[in-house]
Amino acid sequence: MTRVTDASELGARLGVIHARIAGAVERAGRAPDSVRLVAVSKNKPAADIRAAYAAGQRDFGENYVQELLEKTAALADLVEIRWHVIGRLQRNKARDVARIAALVHTVDRAELARELARRATAAGRRLEILVEVNVAGEATKGGCAPGELAGLLDELAGMPGIEARGLMTIAPDVDDPEAVRPVFAALRELAAKHRLRELSMGMSHDFEIAIEEGATLVRVGTAIFGARSAPGQ
Ligand SMILES: *Cc1c(COP(=O)(O)O)cnc(C)c1O
């Protein structure tokens, strides 16, 4: 875990992000409340989440289930917090995820969905999920191929414990964010084709372009909490 960020500093950074979101929403002619900010807090201390919560932030994204469990325990008093699971998921983590997550962004295969559905049903919940699509076909990333999406959505429709609300993608990491605009547009078209409402796309360096292309959820880490020091993250 990296150092704790000062609470007023965090509040100021959140304010900047909200202003940039508002600018992109306006450029796109969209409704002001049509985009939700998910603050990605992986590798950051629980104290940073507490400070962001005090500044009004409610949606937080975590990648690792063990870290999520530690943070939910440390932050149990923050009753309005909503946890978004945004990392690659193993089936053996489904039980904890089905209990805790407000939204799982990274469902990309039927076996994982089936296990989440089973665990959610056992917990008396209907779990909202997004299907992750590997739009750019990058070998290093999760997500189903665009061509597999229709079949996967058909399977999900038969699982009572979960509800597919939309799609998610991680765009290629390139210097010029304009270069990934077609990736975001492709995800929007896939969602429209399947009448899905939520679009989780856009990170610190490209969230404004994602909003212009229809994002309803943006996942922003570094621009709020600062650089992560953990290797590979
Ligand atoms: C880490 C992460 C983010 C946040 O990335 P930043 O560049 O720090 O904003 C968003 N989405 C996913 C899936 C991530 O793993």
Side-chain angles (χ1 to χ4, degrees):
M1 301 282 172
T2 46
R3 70 176 181 86
V4 176
T5 304
D6 177 68
S8 62
E9 169 80 29
L10 262 179
R13 286 195 206 148
L14 279 166
V16 169
I17 301 297
H18 280 295
R20 288 173 60 189
I21 289 173
V25 159
E26 190 176 337
R27 279 196 298 285
R30 300 178 52 194
D33 61 352
S34 60
V35 178
R36 205 166 2 143
L37 173 61
V38 177
V40 176
S41 43
K42 65 174 171 223
N43 297 110
K44 293 293 176 180
D48 282 7
I49 298 176
R50 192 175 284 285
Y53 187 96
Q57 181 63 30
R58 292 294 179 268
D59 292 273
F60 292 88
E62 289 285 341
N63 289 60
Y64 311 105
V65 176
Q66 186 54 40
E67 188 177 337
L68 174 64
L69 289 172
E70 286 162 18
K71 286 175 175 170
T72 53
L75 301 168
D77 57 313
L78 307 185
V79 294
E80 290 176 12
I81 205 162
R82 288 183 294 269
W83 295 108
H84 295 248
V85 170
I86 64 169
R88 285 184 93 160
L89 269 181
Q90 303 302 319
R91 250 192 330 176
N92 62 6
K93 300 286 196 287
R95 184 159 167 253
D96 290 321
V97 170
R99 185 169 54 83
I100 295 167
L103 183 66
V104 182
H105 293 227
T106 44
V107 173
D108 60 359
R109 56 199 192 277
E111 311 82 74
L112 172 62
R114 210 169 285 120
E115 188 63 11
L116 285 169
R118 190 170 80 81
R119 297 297 191 172
T121 302
R125 298 188 66 194
R126 186 147 200 251
L127 182 65
E128 298 193 346
I129 63 110
L130 306 177
V131 175
E132 181 180 355
V133 184
N134 192 343
V135 175
E138 291 179 284
T140 54
K141 292 204 175 126
C144 73
E148 296 168 348
L149 178 61
L152 181 52
L153 286 170
D154 274 351
E155 288 201 65
L156 296 183
M159 300 177 192
I162 55 174
E163 181 179 348
R165 302 274 299 151
L167 304 180
M168 177 270 208
T169 200
I170 303 173
D173 187 11
V174 293
D175 286 339
D176 177 11
E178 273 297 335
V180 296
R181 190 182 285 277
V183 171
F184 296 144
L187 195 73
R188 181 190 64 228
E189 281 162 27
L190 283 171
K193 182 173 160 194
H194 295 287
R195 300 181 191 286
L196 293 165
R197 200 172 162 275
E198 303 290 346
L199 275 176
S200 168
M201 55 189 198
M203 303 173 27
S204 287
H205 69 295
D206 57 14
F207 70 89
E208 286 149 304
I209 288 171
I211 290 169
E212 289 170 17
E213 295 301 327
T216 62
L217 293 150
V218 291
R219 310 177 308 264
V220 179
T222 311
I224 298 170
F225 297 109
R228 292 175 291 272
S229 61
Q233 301 300 324

